[in-house]
Amino acid sequence: EVQLVESGGGLVQAGGSLRLSCASSGFTGSRSPINWVRQAPGKGLEWLSGIYSDSSTAYPDSMKGRFTISRDNAKNTVYLQMDSLKPDDTAVYYCAISRGETVYDAIAYWGKGTLVTVSS
């Protein structure tokens, strides 16, 4: 059974940093990338970043510079380092596994999310 558990969210002031963690299980041997996706209050899902089994990464242009994705395969954990946070970054952040082998594929598995609140 595939399980994803996010942690590291909380309340932070604008300009601060957080590192989110996604611990996975039941995913051994898969080549599907792991992604971070967020949903701000009243808004739709926004893809933030993805990381492949070989640790290569992908970002939308809007996210380049402030957010950094990484993984520790020995710990089965993916991280999202978030710097220079803004109030608009307030959202529930989800860890998610792509159905296929690219970050452009639909999501097959979701975590329950961790809430990040950025105060002004």
Side-chain angles (χ1 to χ4, degrees), residues 69-90:
I69 192 170
S70 62
R71 69 189 299 163
D72 184 338
N73 289 332
K75 297 182 178 180
N76 293 319
T77 301
V78 173
Y79 304 96
L80 184 68
Q81 178 67 40
M82 305 188 295
D83 299 316
S84 301
L85 286 164
K86 306 173 182 179
D88 286 347
D89 293 321
T90 295

Side-chain angles (χ1 to χ4, degrees), residues 24-48:
S24 64
S25 62
F27 197 56
T28 303
S30 177
R31 293 179 57 84
S32 298
I34 300 177
N35 308 271
W36 286 99
V37 182
R38 72 182 180 186
Q39 185 168 34
K43 298 184 178 181
L45 295 169
E46 180 184 15
W47 176 72
L48 301 172

Side-chain angles (χ1 to χ4, degrees), residues 58-111:
Y59 302 89
D61 289 341
S62 61
M63 291 290 106
K64 291 181 178 178
R66 295 196 300 123
F67 290 7
T68 304
I69 192 170
S70 62
R71 69 189 299 163
D72 184 338
N73 289 332
K75 297 182 178 180
N76 293 319
T77 301
V78 173
Y79 304 96
L80 184 68
Q81 178 67 40
M82 305 188 295
D83 299 316
S84 301
L85 286 164
K86 306 173 182 179
D88 286 347
D89 293 321
T90 295
V92 177
Y93 286 71
Y94 298 95
C95 181
I97 299 175
S98 296
R99 184 178 301 277
E101 296 185 355
T102 79
V103 298
Y104 308 107
D105 294 316
I107 298 299
Y109 304 100
W110 296 86

